[in-house]
Amino acid sequence: RRWPGCQAMDLLDNCFSLQYPGWGMNGAELHHPETGVPPDRWCISRGDVRFLRRQISDKIASGAIKPTVRDPFDIEDRVCGPNMYTVVEAWLKPLTRGAG
């Protein structure tokens, strides 16, 4: 259904912005070290990040997360990669699917 004066994407953006505060905002600006939201306000602890990093490292070592054509990360690189799309597809989706 189209409402006078509204475009479909405007309606979608308005709907999402009501459901998800921050929808459509600039992520780079929000995470900028000088002007963005400080890390202590991200609702995630250093321990959470360390846990996720260990889990991803373990999944790379076990072969559950592998380089792909779209994400040819170096499995020996402990600084960069894999990207989150790879992590979600290779590990998080199967994990949650298995949980029911």
Side-chain angles (χ1 to χ4, degrees):
R1 173 175 162 187
R2 304 281 307 248
W3 292 325
C6 291
Q7 299 295 324
M9 283 307 297
D10 292 337
L11 293 174
L12 183 63
D13 282 344
N14 288 337
C15 176
F16 282 145
S17 66
L18 292 174
Q19 288 182 304
Y20 307 106
W23 177 265
M25 297 176 79
N26 184 317
E29 287 177 15
L30 288 171
H31 293 91
H32 190 277
E34 295 164 7
T35 59
V37 178
D40 64 336
R41 304 297 302 249
W42 291 355
C43 299
I44 186 170
S45 70
R46 284 183 187 261
D48 295 335
V49 174
R50 286 186 192 113
F51 174 79
L52 178 61
R53 187 171 179 165
R54 279 192 309 270
Q55 292 293 307
I56 292 171
S57 292
D58 290 349
K59 297 305 172 191
I60 291 170
S62 74
I65 298 176
K66 302 174 187 173
T68 66
V69 172
R70 291 180 62 195
D71 182 16
F73 68 93
D74 178 356
I75 63 171
E76 300 299 322
D77 187 343
R78 298 292 180 233
V79 176
C80 185
N83 69 41
M84 286 309 297
Y85 294 103
T86 300
V87 171
V88 168
E89 287 298 321
W91 175 46
L92 294 177
K93 283 185 178 181
L95 177 70
T96 57
R97 191 177 309 117

